[in-house]
Amino acid sequence: MGAALLQQLTPAQKRTLAAAIFTGGVAVAGGHSLQNEVRRAQKEQQRLCAEVEQKESGKAKRPKVAVDEVFARRLCTILRICVPGILSAESGLIGIQACLLLSRTWLTDYISRIEARAGRYLIAQNFPQFARLLAAFAGVAIPAAVVNSGLKYMQKRIQIAFQRRLSHHLHQQYCSNRAYYAASTLGGLTNADQRITEDVEKFAYNISELYSYTFKPLLDVILFTRSLSRSMGYKGQLALYVYYLFSAGALRKLSPPLALMTAQESSLSGGFRAAHQRLVAHAEEVAYNDPPSGAAEQLILNQHLYRLLRHNKLSAFQRFVQQVFDGYFVKYFASVVALLVYAAPIYFKEPAQRGSRDDITQDYIRSMRLLQNTSKGVGDLVLVYKRITGLAGHTSRVAELLEQVKKLSSGDALTTHRELYLRNVSSKELKFSGSEEEPDEELPPANRQEGNVIAFDKVALNSPDGTALVRQLTFSVPYGQSVMIMGPNGSGKSSLFRVLAGLWPLQAGSITVPGEGGMFYLSQRPYLVTGSLRDQLLYPQPPRLVWEKTSKATKAKFAHLAGVTLGEQELEEQLDTCLEAVELDYLLTRGKGWDQVQNWSETLSGGEKQRLAMARLLFHNPTYAILDECTSAVSADGEVKLYGACVQRGITMLSIAHRPALKKFHSTIVHFDGTQAGQGWSIEKIEGDKEKE
């Protein structure tokens, strides 16, 4: 039978059939090969991200990035932050955007009617009416241009508003309860800087764009469908919408994992940025050994760059394949379907019922204009899954950021710091008193309390690798009786200060600390705030310029940061006294007085930075000063003067130092021997004749 049918075909029909069979075979083979290439690309992307995922392997398992219930719940949580209430400014912006979208849809419908009538009068050569419609078109183009520009402007305003809300919310939590320390130093959050800046900005952009690309197409479809029903009816349009539903399902199956790709790209970009930041932070240490350290760093940076660009290249290939199918099914073949839907009713009508040429022309121009806009609207709705899946990747990153920062800033900071310390800092699972596992030695319970003095009672210290450093450490720092800690490197001196500050967990024993504001810490590396010379001494009060530009509502919220209430002259007199005490008064004449602003970290030498930090200490004049080798870069004579200034101010010091000349400023010396034998410490009393106990 098949042979008989083939014999009935003409040579041209046989050639067409052969070409169709050949094209179909090539299409099937090509599609299978293309599918394999896409799968290989996705597997390679997973391998490229394996190192980043390995860094986070010690943390809780991350949920799969997809458009699902988790995504919806997270998105709602973020949107409640972005739009706190129906009367908020953000809600008003969204309302204005909705009005503009309605106006644009109405204007498009009105313009299509003008174009249709203009086409009719042009075919009929009725030029006066044609000119009148041209004038009307020019007039309506003015509000149309304003509305189109207003849509883009409002989209940007919504993006900025959302970014501001999210950033303020994150800053509030990130700067509370030392969450920033837990995030960066204790490894509580990878690439926190990138997530708070770039990821939040990308999310705000995508969510503001999604609103326009979802609400406007929906309006177009609803209103234009109603307008088209007058000429085409609803049955013809139904066929078009059925085609789009079929296309949407097919394209959804062909779509690559856009949400996962977006999250992976952000993660790899953060790793590349972190590699550059690490080189900037340790530029001096690297430069000392360059060559060949510079070449080693180049290879490290190039590896991060290769992984990022290779991933982007593979993503671009997958998006190219997807866009080919999107363009064909949603744009070009959809136009074919739309023309068929419009032409079919006319074709099946009797010639006498088809209307005049002028009527057909007017109806065709208006219907095709509306069909084009309807098709574009439906196409945008079909492709909205691409935007949603892309948004899912940014939502996942921002949601993880919000969840982790909330965890780090809320609840018991000491418990959180302990968990992160054990997970990311300690290379060995330390055993704490009161833990579920019994420790190898009997340790007293860990207890931290407030009091009038600094005191340690039977405190135990381990190094991060689990080595026992100090056991049963017991001493106090009464007011007016400073204590000095001495010992070799790695004996636990700085570890004790971190535990005292609550940065590292207390393993065992009891620590008593003064209430809030009773202690002032100075480390070996002074922190110099961005601001004027005056701001360096006033810190941790906010820089004056920052405080002056802060709104009244924010000032009321942070009233405790307002700082000193002295008059300007009295304040500068105190500042002058502190700067003279540390022998840095020449800075006032070298620059433009107290208001000079410089890059202090680059301008000042190591010794000058430490002197400036000591001037800050003298200005705030706390009850206790915790000094961690804070004068190591100062000369021996200068160091003696700095400690003498603290004693004159009545500041009680708990200090780590090495120079014997500083012993005279302390009543007690605690020696850490670092031998890992015995208790690891001893006490030396400093009296008038320096007799040892």
Side-chain angles (χ1 to χ4, degrees):
M1 182 176 178
L5 290 174
L6 286 175
Q7 290 178 356
Q8 295 177 1
L9 297 177
T10 64
Q13 290 175 333
K14 291 179 180 179
R15 288 194 296 269
T16 302
L17 179 60
I21 294 174
F22 176 77
T23 304
V26 171
V28 171
H32 186 265
S33 176
L34 190 62
Q35 186 180 27
N36 291 336
E37 287 296 324
V38 170
R39 288 176 178 174
R40 277 196 290 268
Q42 293 174 0
K43 290 181 180 179
E44 185 175 353
Q45 285 181 317
Q46 292 176 356
R47 289 196 297 270
L48 290 171
C49 297
E51 184 178 343
V52 175
E53 293 172 358
Q54 184 178 3
K55 291 180 181 179
E56 299 183 354
S57 60
K59 301 177 184 178
K61 184 178 179 180
R62 293 174 57 185
K64 181 181 178 181
V65 181
V67 181
D68 53 14
E69 183 181 353
V70 175
F71 161 71
R73 185 173 64 253
R74 284 178 158 182
L75 182 61
C76 290
T77 299
I78 298 174
L79 289 179
R80 280 194 291 269
I81 297 173
C82 295
V83 187
I86 194 171
L87 298 179
S88 62
E90 291 76 12
S91 181
L93 292 174
I94 294 173
I96 295 174
Q97 180 81 326
C99 293
L100 290 174
L101 290 171
L102 284 169
S103 300
R104 179 174 175 175
T105 300
W106 180 84
L107 286 169
T108 301
D109 185 38
Y110 182 70
I111 289 173
S112 69
R113 280 183 278 169
I114 294 178
E115 288 179 333
R117 293 171 63 192
R120 173 177 182 168
Y121 290 134
L122 182 61
I123 296 297
Q125 299 185 15
N126 188 345
F127 293 107
Q129 290 292 342
F130 179 75
R132 186 178 65 82
L133 288 174
L134 283 182
F137 186 92
V140 78
I142 297 175
V146 173
V147 168
N148 287 333
S149 299
L151 285 171
K152 296 179 180 179
Y153 172 69
M154 293 309 301
Q155 178 180 324
K156 189 65 178 179
R157 286 287 305 273
I158 292 173
Q159 175 192 345
I160 293 172
F162 283 10
Q163 184 179 357
R164 180 181 65 87
R165 286 283 187 184
L166 274 176
S167 297
H168 280 188
H169 179 83
L170 285 167
H171 289 169
Q172 179 182 1
Q173 295 188 333
Y174 188 65
C175 296
S176 301
N177 226 354
R178 294 172 174 169
Y180 53 88
Y181 177 83
S184 57
T185 306
L186 299 182
L189 183 65
T190 58
N191 303 325
D193 55 339
Q194 184 210 23
R195 294 194 176 200
I196 295 177
T197 55
E198 294 182 9
D199 287 355
V200 169
E201 180 183 7
K202 290 178 180 178
F203 171 83
Y205 173 79
N206 278 269
I207 191 66
S208 62
E209 183 186 51
L210 181 66
Y211 175 65
S212 297
Y213 279 89
T214 303
F215 189 58
K216 179 187 179 297
L218 186 61
L219 281 174
D220 289 349
V221 170
I222 294 174
L223 295 181
F224 295 157
T225 297
R226 180 176 176 274
S227 298
L228 283 169
S229 65
R230 300 167 187 169
S231 58
M232 296 176 56
Y234 289 106
K235 292 182 180 180
Q237 296 181 73
L238 180 61
L240 181 62
Y241 296 150
V242 169
Y243 165 77
Y244 274 117
L245 288 175
F246 169 78
S247 299
L251 293 174
R252 184 68 185 89
K253 294 292 184 182
L254 296 171
S255 174
L258 296 176
L260 179 61
M261 285 164 49
T262 301
Q264 288 176 341
E265 287 173 9
S266 298
S267 180
L268 290 174
S269 177
F272 181 50
R273 177 177 176 176
H276 272 283
Q277 289 178 334
R278 180 179 52 80
L279 180 58
V280 171
H282 302 282
E284 184 173 334
E285 294 88 333
V286 174
Y288 276 129
N289 296 296
D290 189 10
S293 58
E297 293 298 323
Q298 180 183 352
L299 292 175
I300 294 172
L301 294 176
N302 286 345
Q303 183 187 38
H304 281 280
L305 178 63
Y306 167 77
R307 290 167 57 234
L308 174 61
L309 296 183
R310 180 62 180 168
H311 187 281
N312 289 347
K313 182 178 179 180
L314 294 171
S315 297
F317 168 70
Q318 295 178 67
R319 288 189 171 99
F320 160 74
V321 174
Q322 180 195 32
Q323 287 168 0
V324 169
F325 289 101
D326 288 348
Y328 179 76
F329 285 109
V330 175
K331 184 177 181 182
Y332 297 109
F333 198 76
S335 298
V336 174
V337 175
L339 285 170
L340 286 174
V341 167
Y342 175 77
I346 300 177
Y347 177 78
F348 289 108
K349 283 182 180 180
E350 294 293 334
Q353 298 177 353
R354 293 174 182 174
S356 66
R357 179 180 299 180
D358 294 346
D359 292 336
I360 293 177
T361 300
Q362 177 177 335
D363 186 61
Y364 174 79
I365 293 176
R366 182 168 186 267
S367 297
M368 291 311 300
R369 177 63 182 259
L370 292 177
L371 272 174
Q372 288 176 359
N373 285 283
T374 303
S375 298
K376 185 177 183 303
V378 175
D380 287 340
L381 290 176
V382 170
L383 297 181
V384 79
Y385 76 91
K386 292 174 59 178
R387 300 181 185 278
I388 293 178
T389 50
L391 177 65
H394 297 300
T395 301
S396 173
R397 298 272 297 179
V398 174
E400 288 175 4
L401 172 64
L402 288 168
E403 292 163 5
Q404 193 64 17
V405 169
K406 181 179 180 180
K407 179 181 177 182
L408 296 178
S409 62
S410 61
D412 186 358
L414 297 179
T415 302
T416 303
H417 287 190
R418 172 185 290 191
E419 294 175 355
L420 293 172
Y421 176 84
L422 292 177
R423 182 191 308 163
N424 303 321
V425 178
S426 174
S427 60
K428 180 179 179 181
E429 185 68 20
L430 299 182
K431 295 178 181 179
F432 286 73
S433 174
S435 62
E436 294 181 359
E437 298 183 29
E438 289 298 327
D440 298 332
E441 54 184 312
E442 185 175 351
L443 299 174
N447 179 41
R448 185 180 180 88
Q449 59 189 10
E450 288 189 6
N452 296 324
V453 299
I454 297 176
F456 302 87
D457 184 28
K458 299 180 181 180
V459 170
L461 289 178
N462 280 21
S463 64
D465 63 3
T467 303
L469 298 176
V470 172
R471 289 293 182 268
Q472 301 290 319
L473 178 64
T474 302
F475 71 91
S476 62
V477 189
Y479 177 72
Q481 300 181 31
S482 298
V483 175
M484 180 178 178
I485 301 176
M486 303 182 73
N489 292 335
S491 59
K493 304 184 301 295
S494 295
S495 298
L496 179 67
F497 279 12
R498 293 189 182 102
V499 172
L500 176 65
L503 303 181
W504 281 11
L506 174 62
Q507 183 178 358
S510 177
I511 291 182
T512 303
V513 296
E516 184 178 354
M519 298 186 296
F520 200 97
Y521 286 81
L522 289 186
S523 64
Q524 190 173 1
R525 292 189 305 167
Y527 173 68
L528 301 181
V529 68
T530 301
S532 65
L533 181 59
R534 179 190 292 104
D535 295 330
Q536 306 311 313
L537 272 68
L538 294 179
Y539 189 82
Q541 297 172 17
R544 175 169 292 190
L545 187 59
V546 172
W547 186 254
E548 289 176 351
K549 292 186 177 181
T550 301
S551 64
K552 292 183 178 180
T554 305
K555 285 182 178 179
K557 186 176 180 181
F558 294 95
H560 62 286
L561 296 178
V564 295
T565 56
L566 302 174
E568 190 70 22
Q569 182 176 356
E570 186 178 358
L571 174 62
E572 291 200 359
E573 288 177 357
Q574 287 197 18
L575 295 174
D576 289 338
T577 302
C578 296
L579 213 57
E580 290 173 3
V582 299
E583 299 180 333
L584 283 181
D585 48 311
Y586 60 85
L587 293 178
L588 293 171
T589 57
R590 194 167 72 181
K592 298 181 180 179
W594 288 108
D595 294 320
Q596 60 179 302
V597 177
Q598 301 182 26
N599 186 352
W600 301 105
S601 297
E602 300 293 336
T603 303
L604 303 180
S605 65
E608 288 176 324
K609 294 176 189 176
Q610 290 186 342
R611 288 176 181 271
L612 193 59
M614 288 294 287
R616 179 187 298 165
L617 171 66
L618 296 177
F619 174 77
H620 289 282
N621 197 29
T623 304
Y624 286 96
I626 314 300
L627 311 178
D628 187 0
E629 299 187 63
C630 64
T631 55
S632 58
V634 180
S635 64
D637 293 341
E639 193 174 36
V640 169
K641 292 180 180 178
L642 294 177
Y643 273 79
C646 290
V647 172
Q648 291 177 2
R649 297 274 179 140
I651 300 174
T652 303
M653 298 171 288
L654 175 59
S655 54
I656 296 175
H658 297 285
R659 291 171 181 166
L662 299 180
K663 288 186 176 182
K664 62 184 179 181
F665 300 108
H666 302 81
S667 302
T668 304
I669 310 297
V670 178
H671 293 276
F672 283 15
D673 53 44
T675 60
Q676 302 176 17
Q679 295 183 340
W681 60 279
S682 60
I683 287 183
E684 173 188 354
K685 287 291 185 179
I686 305 297
E687 299 180 357
D689 56 358
K690 292 187 180 181
E691 293 180 357
K692 294 183 180 180
E693 181 180 81

